[in-house]
Amino acid sequence: MATEFPIISPLNPPGDRFNFAQHLISRNAAHPDRIAYIDDTGSLLYGELERRIRSLASSLLACGVRREERVLLLMHDCNDWPVSFLGAMYAGIVPVAVNTLLTAKDYAFMLEHSRAQAVMVSGALLPLLHEALAIAAHEVKTLIVSHPPGELPAGAVAMDTLLSQHPPMRPSAATCPDDPGFWLYSSGSTGRPKGTLHTQANPYWTAELYGKPVLGLTERDVCFSAAKLFFAYGLGNALSFPLSVGATVVLMAERPTPAATFKRWVEHQPTVFFGAPTGFAGMLAAPDLPAKSQVSLRLASSAGEALPANLGERFTAHFGVEIIDGVGSTEMLHIYLSNLPGKVRYGTTGWPVPGYEVQLRDDDGHAVPDGDTGELYVKGPSAALMYWGNRDKSRDTFQGGWTKTGDKYVRNPDGTYTYSGRSDDMLKVSGIYVSPFEVEATLSQHPAILEAAVIGAPDGEGLTKTKAYVVLKSGRQVSEDELKTFVKERLAPYKYPRSIEFLSELPKTATGKIQRFKLRDLQSPTQ
């Protein structure tokens, strides 16, 4: 069946010379007085954004950072974040955007691994960065501080001071579409993060293939992303997509709690909200959930994990707005499988985004028929070049034009795809594959359950059985036997969790993904 995505005209790919920051500047040159960003301290107009990008570019070069060298970007979401990221790209310097929720040890590794020549950091994160610099066997040339909390340490300079000292750089670096553009570190649940190298043109492709034709973003939209800018998902939501059409972006430095999110919804009236399933669940359970009349949402987006159908249905029932669930990855930069505005199949991840190809393969690399579970491979123009300094993993993930995602999916008769878990999370119970996500989604339908995670646990014979960890909603109670019966009534009997443990919260990565390996570490053989 046809995917029914909106038909888009053929795109003009970037030519021999392409600089993404210059591309965005050119797109918005006609409306310098339009608001580009609104953060916790004020607004930034498009004309001022351009001036600060160019000044940051010349400042980095004046500090001795050379083209294609890396600069670490450790910064809370604020108006200085896009200035820092795009200013570096404008100069042909490579920003390395990193998660603000990590430890000093993590940052020490990233400093050493990227060999960053400068760091752009939020003042509130300066103590943590100094701890990392003390650990790292690497020195940086320059430390640029956004919103310094007070007197700066020796060798550091306030960003506003630095920008005032250097005139805007003209023209941009003469970069090519495939030149190194920026890094994002993967947020895998095990092992050290991988430095994922993207090109100057990759964010162009995500905006042209997804932000405009699928989400339908225009200059009239106000975008607000709970996912932070250092995530691949958030980078598209709050930078590549809105700046490609001249829209306005609301930024928030604090954690996206339901209360913090609702505050921005009501104060700034965003039209498009970008979230994740865990966040949507928390918001729908919050007692202060705004009424439909209090917000201006026209569309919501979800990624990071597959969206349980009941969450989407409840959100739509309350706000009259669809959640467009999709899947993307750090390696592909943004979403390549997605539901459609006006044609949502809750419980599925939708259809391939035009411009991307997908295949489902078995363990031997052969295509699987509809209805069978296979590993998802994707091909498209926004794929990363490689993992820096990790040839083996690069070869395993980037196979010719195809990227191995590690996700298991089933293709449905209508052409949509349904998530079946990660390749290393799939469970084989009595010789039959069981999707942890399927069991989790079923458990989450119970009115007492806030969140659920399912893993494989060995029994006394060393055979794998399903075990569930659940978090109850505040004030709710339910027995283990009741939950087992609930699942048996909705799924094939062999899929029900043989044991269930109640937790106050689930272990998660900084991106909000459940860390099943930590749950596995808790295991002793179940009886």
Side-chain angles (χ1 to χ4, degrees):
M1 180 179 291
T3 61
E4 300 189 43
F5 268 94
I7 297 174
I8 58 176
S9 59
L11 298 173
N12 293 318
D16 292 338
R17 289 285 183 265
F18 181 79
N19 182 285
F20 183 62
Q22 178 59 63
H23 166 72
L24 295 181
I25 287 171
S26 299
R27 283 285 179 97
N28 295 292
H31 45 79
D33 295 328
R34 183 179 297 164
I35 296 175
Y37 284 97
I38 304 170
D39 71 1
D40 299 333
T41 62
S43 59
L44 182 66
L45 303 180
Y46 270 101
E48 180 67 5
L49 174 63
E50 174 185 351
R51 187 191 69 78
R52 289 176 69 85
I53 288 171
R54 293 184 190 272
S55 294
L56 192 279
S58 60
S59 298
L60 288 173
L61 293 172
C63 290
V65 184
R66 297 173 297 181
R67 181 169 166 175
E68 295 188 10
E69 289 184 330
R70 273 76 63 193
V71 294
L72 203 75
L73 202 172
L74 174 59
M75 195 176 291
H76 289 136
D77 279 19
C78 66
N79 291 344
D80 283 343
W81 204 106
V83 170
S84 302
F85 185 84
L86 294 173
M89 292 187 72
Y90 188 88
I93 293 166
V94 180
V96 180
V98 300
N99 192 325
T100 60
L101 303 175
L102 303 179
T103 67
K105 185 177 180 181
D106 293 319
Y107 299 132
F109 165 76
M110 292 172 177
L111 286 164
E112 294 173 354
H113 184 247
S114 67
R115 297 191 288 278
Q117 297 300 299
V119 180
M120 298 178 286
V121 60
S122 289
L125 296 168
L126 195 53
L128 188 61
L129 175 64
H130 273 298
E131 187 180 345
L133 288 168
I135 299 171
H138 175 76
E139 294 184 4
V140 299
K141 296 177 180 177
T142 304
L143 187 57
I144 304 168
V145 185
S146 168
H147 301 293
E151 185 176 350
L152 288 173
V157 60
M159 179 170 291
D160 285 344
T161 300
L162 186 66
L163 296 186
S164 69
Q165 296 173 347
H166 300 282
M169 173 183 172
R170 295 178 185 275
S172 67
T175 51
C176 302
D178 290 338
D179 279 354
F182 58 95
W183 291 17
L184 298 173
Y185 274 97
S186 67
S187 57
S189 58
T190 60
R192 282 185 164 179
K194 300 180 291 294
T196 310
L197 175 52
H198 280 284
T199 70
Q200 284 274 349
N202 281 2
Y204 164 87
W205 286 116
T206 62
E208 295 299 313
L209 295 175
Y210 191 73
K212 294 178 183 179
V214 177
L215 298 179
L217 294 182
T218 72
E219 71 278 0
R220 295 182 297 276
D221 279 310
V222 177
C223 299
F224 175 40
S225 177
K228 300 300 184 180
L229 279 160
F230 57 75
F231 297 136
Y233 179 48
L235 183 65
N237 304 341
L239 192 149
S240 306
F241 296 175
L243 297 193
S244 290
V245 298
T248 296
V249 183
V250 176
L251 295 177
M252 177 176 69
E254 65 184 298
R255 290 178 55 248
T257 62
T261 300
F262 299 157
K263 182 175 185 289
R264 274 73 180 182
W265 282 5
V266 173
E267 287 186 2
H268 299 299
Q269 295 293 304
T271 57
V272 183
F273 174 70
F274 301 86
T278 298
F280 284 113
M283 288 186 289
L284 289 171
D288 55 344
L289 182 69
K292 177 182 178 181
S293 60
Q294 293 179 273
V295 304
S296 297
L297 296 176
R298 70 166 182 85
L299 188 68
S301 168
S302 180
E305 293 180 292
L307 180 75
N310 70 306
L311 284 182
E313 291 162 356
R314 288 164 54 203
F315 189 91
T316 299
H318 183 86
F319 289 108
V321 170
E322 296 172 320
I323 299 179
I324 309 304
D325 186 30
V327 64
S329 66
T330 302
E331 291 76 10
M332 295 302 296
L333 193 54
H334 214 275
I335 289 171
Y336 45 80
L337 268 180
S338 180
N339 277 272
L340 286 170
K343 190 175 177 63
V344 171
R345 298 284 188 268
Y346 282 134
T348 80
T349 315
W351 296 267
V353 173
Y356 294 90
E357 298 177 54
V358 301
Q359 290 182 359
L360 297 183
R361 303 178 186 176
D362 61 20
D363 293 341
D364 296 321
H366 301 131
V368 302
D370 287 3
D372 285 2
T373 298
E375 183 162 6
L376 182 69
Y377 286 72
V378 58
K379 178 191 290 187
S382 63
L385 292 176
M386 63 176 176
Y387 299 124
W388 183 264
N390 194 336
R391 178 177 287 192
D392 287 345
K393 188 61 179 176
S394 293
R395 285 175 169 172
D396 182 58
T397 299
F398 305 108
Q399 301 181 7
W402 293 93
T403 298
K404 179 182 177 181
T405 69
D407 288 324
K408 293 279 191 178
Y409 268 87
V410 173
R411 187 177 187 274
N412 304 310
D414 65 353
T416 60
Y417 288 74
T418 299
Y419 181 64
S420 295
R422 291 286 299 171
S423 297
D424 53 0
D425 287 333
M426 288 293 288
L427 308 176
K428 210 166 192 179
V429 180
S430 300
I432 305 173
Y433 274 116
V434 175
S435 165
F437 178 79
E438 185 181 26
V439 184
E440 290 165 6
T442 302
L443 283 166
S444 296
Q445 294 172 16
H446 192 283
I449 301 300
L450 178 64
E451 291 183 300
V454 173
I455 64 167
D459 65 8
E461 301 295 330
L463 300 174
T464 298
K465 304 296 181 185
T466 50
K467 178 171 184 176
Y469 289 88
V470 299
V471 178
L472 298 179
K473 294 178 181 176
S474 179
R476 302 302 293 266
Q477 295 294 325
V478 65
S479 70
E480 181 176 351
D481 287 341
E482 182 181 343
L483 288 178
K484 290 179 179 179
T485 301
F486 184 83
V487 175
K488 287 179 182 178
E489 291 173 349
R490 289 161 175 78
L491 296 178
Y494 70 86
K495 296 183 178 181
Y496 86 94
R498 300 315 197 262
S499 61
I500 299 175
E501 187 170 335
F502 298 89
L503 298 177
S504 60
E505 61 180 6
L506 298 176
K508 296 175 183 176
T509 67
T511 63
K513 295 181 181 179
I514 296 169
Q515 292 176 307
R516 289 182 176 82
F517 76 97
K518 288 190 176 180
L519 296 176
R520 295 188 191 103
D521 290 343
L522 300 175
Q523 296 312 300
S524 59
T526 55
Q527 304 299 322

